[in-house]
Amino acid sequence: MNQAAGQVPTKVNPQLFKSSWPAFWITTNDAQQREYGIYHFRKVFLLPASVIPKSFLIHVTADNRYRLFVNGKPVCSGPARGDLFNWFYETIDIAPYLTEGENTIAALVWNMGTLAPVAQVSNQTAFLVQGNSATEKMVNTDASWKVKKSTAYTPCSLDNGERLKAYMVVGPGDQVDGRQYAWDWEKTDYDDVSWSNAEEITHPEPIGYGTDNRWTLAPRSIPLFTEHLLRFLTIRRTNGIKVNQDFLTGKKPLKVPSNQRLSILLDQKTMTAAYPELIISGGKGAKIKLTYSEALFDKQGDKGNRNEIDHKEIKGNYDVFIPDGENNRKFRPLWFRAYRYVQLDIMTADDPLILNDIYGMKTGYPLQMNATFSSNEHSLQEIWKTAWHTAQLCAGDLYYDTPYYEQLQYTGDSRIQALISLYTSGDDRLMRKAILDFYHSRTPEGLTQGRYPSNRLQIIPTFSLFWISMVHDYWMHRRDDAFVKQFLPAINEINEWFRSRVDQKKKMLGPLTWWNFVDWDNFNGWGTAPGADDGNSSILTLQYAYTLNQSAELFRAFDLAQQADAQEMLALELSDHTYWYCYNPSNGLVADTPEQKSYSQHAGIWAILSGAVPLQEAQPLMQKILDDKSIGQVTFFYRFYLTQALKKAEMGDLYYKELKPWRDMLKLGLTTFAEKPEPTRSDCHAWSASPDYDFLATICGIMPEASGFRKILIKPALGELTEVSGSMPTPSGKVSVQFKRIGKNGIHAEILLPDQVSGTFSWKGKEIKLRAGTQIITI
């Protein structure tokens, strides 16, 4: 199934953007509308041969989610997650699936109710299809549609957090009883005479229209997901049965005798996000449990080397399938699963079972690698590939922090993910959606929520600052002034929230409310900065000053000089006073608070990034925070900002030596990069994919010198590398660089800039102007 092929948003009927839609949101009266339930919707319609159209556009969405079929064939899934003010719909051309005569359009719709993922916003169970024009109106959802509540589904795996001793909020597993499933319900020849007619709820309303709206519709702004066959690579362990590896090819069915208990551990060899599909025959009354895990656990609950399985067990999210005894029955969960390992635990009854096949349908946001990086050290390629794999798995209908545990979009994570997307793929659509998602999340206080979409309120004030940084990043790397300008009032509100909380005596931030998270493994169990609750945190104050300087650049670019001046003056005042109170000349470090009882790399990083420390003092400070292991250390999240500080202090060459944490993860058998140093919860966490940005932006030194990448700065920081090459997309075209060291301080550079773009090459304090096209520089 290639879902992206059918999406044609450019042909949408303009009338649908400015008035109520003729179709109805529909539901069933056979359910509590906000409770767990899975439903089958279908409609049969006639197409004479003379009127089969070349195009048949429909707009489709559901609450919570749906999977659409036409004549039994899967077409697409959705919607992309949003909120009730921005409820997304997909536009699909289903003409390729239609035939002469009777056709059936059908949808599996589910509502997880109170068990829903935290990322899922909801109103009630509902489904919607709107034909694009008079040609397609025959499929509009109304009371002529048939609906049946499924009795086959029961939620399972409800205690994941307890068993894994971790925060896990992706929703329940699926237990499906094949004896109660309406097999072939999506096909035209299925008899639905006993089904109920759908219940009409209300006419849909687009953004900017309607009153008493239950959902306000917005067109999907990101591409549809694709699915690709992904076979398991090896069987690592069996219990109670011998299994040949040929079973994994799909050509050697496995026979399981009656009244048996057995298990089979499959290894994908790498983390993945996929819909597992299990095809079985016979086995009436058997029970098949599929458990998914990033790694196996020893008796102490530790993962250790991810490749090792001896004396370890699988723990994690699971699904259950109960066969009905018929042939070629397929089990597939409602939503994708993240896993490296999958264990089948099978218990047969009196009827023998045949496992015909098991495989995954790999899915996710279709990020494409359009950048290159290579060097004389091959080990960097493994980091580059693993970081890319991490970024891919954490890109869905949101920027996921982790595909296994949360699938939530956090601003702190998303800023790093967005830069990775821009540098490696050039695709800004998910970044734009994330910026808008957080913009729509704003609270009456003016702050953005820390994660969004979310059905639970969480406010992290530092993440509101990161959202401003994210808008600034977009402005620097893309050319869309109208998109950026709309956020200026919200940016001003966030800055004012912090400004109103400045301690006027010390000119540092006073006590702050909400969760003032900075980084894991530091300060306290919640990663909260010292002084956040009581006031005068150097970390938070200096991050605010850094953000004010970015805000000032944005406001000045849009001819708001007075506001820009005020923001710059406040940033200077905050950074100067914080440095005066918190810098300790005896140890050369910046303390976390004026009491100077604790120190961290974080405080020094923000002192450098905010400009509180002049360059001549930034370098010894930077060296101190690298060398002193007694102070609070950054984890993988804040290593992104450690690298930014290295560059600001003109010490980017040290970045190469700071890659040890990523090398250590590879030695432990991780195939994606983890949330934090061992012991870690998540083995796949987006913020740890930052090397894919830094290899291009730091080692290759490709950075925007002016907004929109209109000018390009090439400032390589090769460290101990002797040869490096890289390329990446920009709004004007591809930038490529090749560097070769000459002795200790010399370099040979070949640089290609896109047409009509100029720039600067900077090496060891020497600057050379660049022009469009290819140029060769030897220093």
Side-chain angles (χ1 to χ4, degrees):
M1 176 174 61
N2 189 337
Q3 299 177 349
Q7 191 177 27
V8 194
T10 56
K11 298 180 181 178
V12 175
N13 181 352
Q15 190 64 31
L16 297 177
F17 292 125
K18 55 186 179 182
S19 63
S20 296
W21 291 8
F24 285 90
W25 281 99
I26 59 172
T27 188
T28 173
N29 56 17
D30 186 27
Q32 294 295 318
Q33 296 300 324
R34 290 185 169 92
E35 298 300 321
Y36 175 93
I38 287 78
Y39 307 91
H40 304 293
F41 288 86
R42 57 181 269 131
K43 181 180 176 69
V44 178
F45 60 101
L46 187 65
L47 280 180
S50 59
V51 297
I52 293 179
K54 293 182 179 179
S55 175
F56 199 96
L57 281 187
I58 63 170
H59 314 293
V60 56
T61 187
D63 185 348
N64 300 168
R65 290 189 184 269
Y66 71 89
R67 189 180 187 212
L68 186 74
F69 301 84
V70 176
N71 292 327
K73 296 179 180 178
V75 176
C76 72
S77 298
R81 280 193 172 127
D83 56 28
L84 296 180
F85 183 75
N86 294 272
W87 197 272
F88 295 106
Y89 62 87
E90 283 71 43
T91 298
I92 309 294
D93 188 351
I94 63 171
Y97 302 90
L98 300 177
T99 62
E100 178 184 350
E102 285 192 339
N103 290 264
T104 299
I105 182 169
L108 184 64
V109 175
W110 60 93
N111 184 347
M112 293 290 105
T114 57
L115 303 176
V118 170
Q120 183 65 57
V121 176
S122 178
N123 189 337
Q124 68 165 86
T125 301
F127 178 58
L128 170 65
V129 173
Q130 171 65 58
N132 191 55
S133 67
T135 301
E136 302 94 350
K137 69 178 182 179
M138 64 184 72
V139 299
N140 286 0
T141 43
D142 56 23
S144 68
W145 276 66
K146 293 293 192 76
V147 59
K148 180 179 177 63
K149 181 179 180 180
S150 176
T151 58
Y153 284 85
T154 306
C156 65
S157 198
L158 301 176
D159 59 345
N160 288 327
E162 180 182 340
R163 284 184 292 108
L164 292 168
K165 296 179 173 59
Y167 184 64
M168 189 166 180
V169 290
V170 294
D174 301 325
Q175 178 168 309
V176 179
D177 189 338
R179 297 167 298 185
Q180 300 184 56
Y181 192 80
W183 296 104
D184 298 327
W185 65 275
E186 70 275 27
K187 296 180 180 179
T188 300
D189 56 2
Y190 181 85
D191 184 2
D192 62 10
V193 67
S194 64
W195 287 26
S196 302
N197 288 95
E199 182 176 293
E200 297 173 352
I201 304 173
T202 186
H203 289 291
E205 304 283 1
I207 284 179
Y209 293 87
T211 181
D212 207 30
N213 296 6
R214 303 194 193 189
W215 305 265
T216 302
L217 294 175
R220 184 182 180 111
S221 58
I222 58 174
L224 288 165
F225 294 176
T226 55
E227 294 183 16
H228 304 285
L229 178 66
L230 185 68
R231 291 210 163 270
F232 288 95
L233 293 180
T234 187
I235 299 170
R236 293 293 300 274
R237 183 167 66 197
T238 61
N239 183 19
I241 193 171
K242 291 184 178 180
V243 185
N244 192 296
Q245 297 283 343
D246 288 346
F247 165 62
L248 299 181
T249 67
K251 300 177 182 178
K252 296 282 186 179
L254 176 66
K255 297 181 179 179
V256 181
S258 60
N259 301 307
Q260 297 291 307
R261 288 176 178 264
L262 58 94
S263 67
I264 305 169
L265 180 65
L266 307 177
D267 186 355
Q268 190 66 62
K269 291 290 187 90
T270 183
M271 270 293 295
T272 192
Y275 291 95
E277 294 191 349
L278 174 68
I279 302 175
I280 62 96
S281 296
K284 184 175 183 179
K287 184 177 180 180
I288 307 168
K289 180 181 178 183
L290 299 90
T291 304
Y292 315 98
S293 184
E294 295 181 317
L296 302 191
F297 298 84
D298 63 20
K299 292 182 179 179
Q300 289 72 43
D302 295 328
K303 298 177 182 178
N305 190 296
R306 283 20 176 211
N307 296 321
E308 297 172 358
I309 66 168
D310 291 345
H311 310 294
K312 292 182 179 181
E313 64 174 346
I314 195 167
K315 291 190 294 185
N317 192 23
Y318 65 83
D319 297 311
V320 175
F321 180 52
I322 300 171
D324 68 340
E326 298 299 320
N327 292 331
N328 295 312
R329 295 305 203 198
K330 180 190 289 187
F331 168 79
R332 168 183 164 124
L334 296 171
W335 189 234
F336 76 81
R337 305 301 185 214
Y339 58 84
R340 171 178 171 174
Y341 293 97
V342 176
Q343 182 163 301
L344 299 178
D345 289 292
I346 303 172
M347 180 176 66
T348 56
D350 293 336
D351 187 16
L353 171 72
I354 297 176
L355 293 177
N356 300 100
D357 203 358
I358 185 171
Y359 51 86
M361 295 300 292
K362 185 179 179 181
T363 191
Y365 186 95
L367 271 182
Q368 299 294 320
M369 173 60 82
N370 293 315
T372 62
F373 175 83
S374 63
S375 72
N376 61 289
E377 185 179 324
H378 183 71
S379 66
L380 295 190
Q381 283 303 113
E382 194 63 28
I383 296 175
W384 170 263
K385 291 177 182 177
T386 305
W388 170 245
H389 187 49
T390 306
Q392 282 183 302
L393 293 183
C394 293
D397 53 355
L398 312 169
Y399 277 129
Y400 302 142
D401 61 329
T402 158
Y404 189 86
Y405 286 92
E406 297 185 46
Q407 295 175 26
L408 280 163
Q409 181 173 252
Y410 289 84
T411 330
D413 307 59
S414 295
R415 184 194 180 191
I416 298 170
Q417 291 171 275
L419 286 169
I420 294 169
S421 295
L422 293 182
Y423 267 68
T424 56
S425 72
D427 188 338
D428 61 18
R429 289 171 290 184
L430 201 53
M431 180 184 193
R432 290 170 61 92
K433 182 180 185 297
I435 290 172
L436 284 166
D437 284 340
F438 292 119
Y439 178 64
H440 298 143
S441 80
R442 287 171 299 149
T443 64
E445 291 186 349
L447 295 180
T448 59
Q449 295 185 43
R451 62 192 186 195
Y452 202 76
S454 173
N455 57 40
R456 302 178 191 173
L457 178 69
Q458 181 197 78
I459 297 176
I460 304 177
T462 54
F463 280 22
S464 289
L465 297 178
F466 284 137
W467 178 75
I468 296 175
S469 296
M470 198 172 176
V471 175
H472 183 272
D473 292 341
Y474 185 90
W475 174 68
M476 288 297 294
H477 294 82
R478 283 294 177 268
R479 301 174 188 172
D480 190 345
D481 286 353
F483 182 74
V484 173
K485 188 176 182 179
Q486 68 181 312
F487 304 121
L488 297 184
I491 290 172
N492 192 58
E493 272 198 272
I494 293 169
N495 285 331
E496 282 298 302
W497 186 91
F498 282 93
R499 188 194 62 78
S500 68
R501 288 159 174 77
V502 171
D503 179 338
Q504 293 303 316
K505 182 178 180 181
K506 282 192 169 70
K507 299 298 181 183
M508 296 178 66
L509 285 173
L512 300 181
T513 50
W514 304 109
W515 180 24
N516 290 282
F517 172 80
V518 172
D519 195 6
W520 292 119
D521 288 355
N522 286 284
F523 318 131
N524 59 28
W526 285 94
T528 303
D533 298 333
D534 301 326
N536 302 318
S537 163
S538 67
I539 297 171
L540 301 188
T541 305
L542 292 171
Q543 185 188 350
Y544 177 40
Y546 161 86
T547 310
L548 282 168
N549 285 325
Q550 290 183 322
S551 301
E553 289 187 29
L554 289 170
F555 278 79
R556 198 174 302 284
F558 290 95
D559 300 321
L560 296 168
Q562 186 174 355
Q563 288 172 270
D565 289 343
Q567 290 164 350
E568 286 175 345
M569 289 177 63
L570 179 57
L572 181 61
E573 185 176 54
L574 293 172
S575 57
D576 283 353
H577 282 76
T578 303
Y579 189 65
W580 190 87
Y581 277 110
C582 297
Y583 179 70
N584 185 337
S586 65
N587 63 16
L589 292 167
V590 177
D592 296 327
T593 64
E595 292 76 19
Q596 300 189 7
K597 293 181 179 180
S598 68
Y599 297 84
S600 65
Q601 290 184 315
H602 308 74
I605 286 168
W606 287 119
I608 293 169
L609 291 178
S610 67
V613 186
L615 179 60
Q616 63 270 23
E617 297 176 25
Q619 292 184 345
L621 172 60
M622 192 75 234
Q623 197 62 56
K624 278 277 187 181
I625 66 176
L626 291 175
D627 296 341
D628 192 337
K629 304 305 179 186
S630 69
I631 64 176
Q633 300 290 295
V634 297
T635 66
F636 302 152
F637 170 34
Y638 249 72
R639 281 192 168 272
F640 172 83
Y641 294 97
L642 177 70
T643 302
Q644 298 301 305
L646 281 172
K647 293 166 71 172
K648 183 78 179 284
E650 300 290 348
M651 298 169 68
D653 277 326
L654 296 181
Y655 170 73
Y656 172 79
K657 292 183 177 180
E658 295 298 316
L659 290 170
K660 184 177 183 298
W662 285 273
R663 299 182 194 279
D664 290 344
M665 282 188 274
L666 293 176
K667 290 177 183 176
L668 277 174
L670 277 94
T671 61
T672 48
F673 290 132
E675 180 176 10
K676 62 188 185 69
E678 294 287 289
T680 184
R681 175 190 63 153
S682 168
D683 278 4
C684 180
H685 210 92
W687 63 33
S688 298
S690 57
D692 267 17
Y693 167 74
D694 282 317
F695 281 16
L696 294 168
T698 301
I699 294 178
C700 291
I702 305 171
M703 294 173 284
E705 192 174 24
S707 65
F709 250 127
R710 290 176 176 86
K711 292 184 179 180
I712 298 176
L713 174 64
I714 309 292
K715 190 175 184 179
L718 305 185
E720 297 173 18
L721 298 170
T722 57
E723 294 185 27
V724 168
S725 66
S727 66
M728 61 165 286
T730 74
S732 298
K734 186 176 77 171
V735 176
S736 65
V737 297
Q738 294 184 51
F739 304 118
K740 188 171 183 178
R741 298 289 289 264
I742 302 175
K744 183 178 180 181
N745 294 313
I747 191 169
H748 176 81
E750 296 184 20
I751 300 169
L752 171 66
L753 296 189
D755 290 344
Q756 300 180 342
V757 174
S758 62
T760 304
F761 176 68
S762 178
W763 176 257
K764 305 292 184 184
K766 185 177 180 65
E767 293 190 348
I768 298 172
K769 292 300 179 183
L770 300 173
R771 52 173 171 74
T774 301
Q775 44 242 286
I776 297 174
I777 299 168
T778 302
I779 298 176

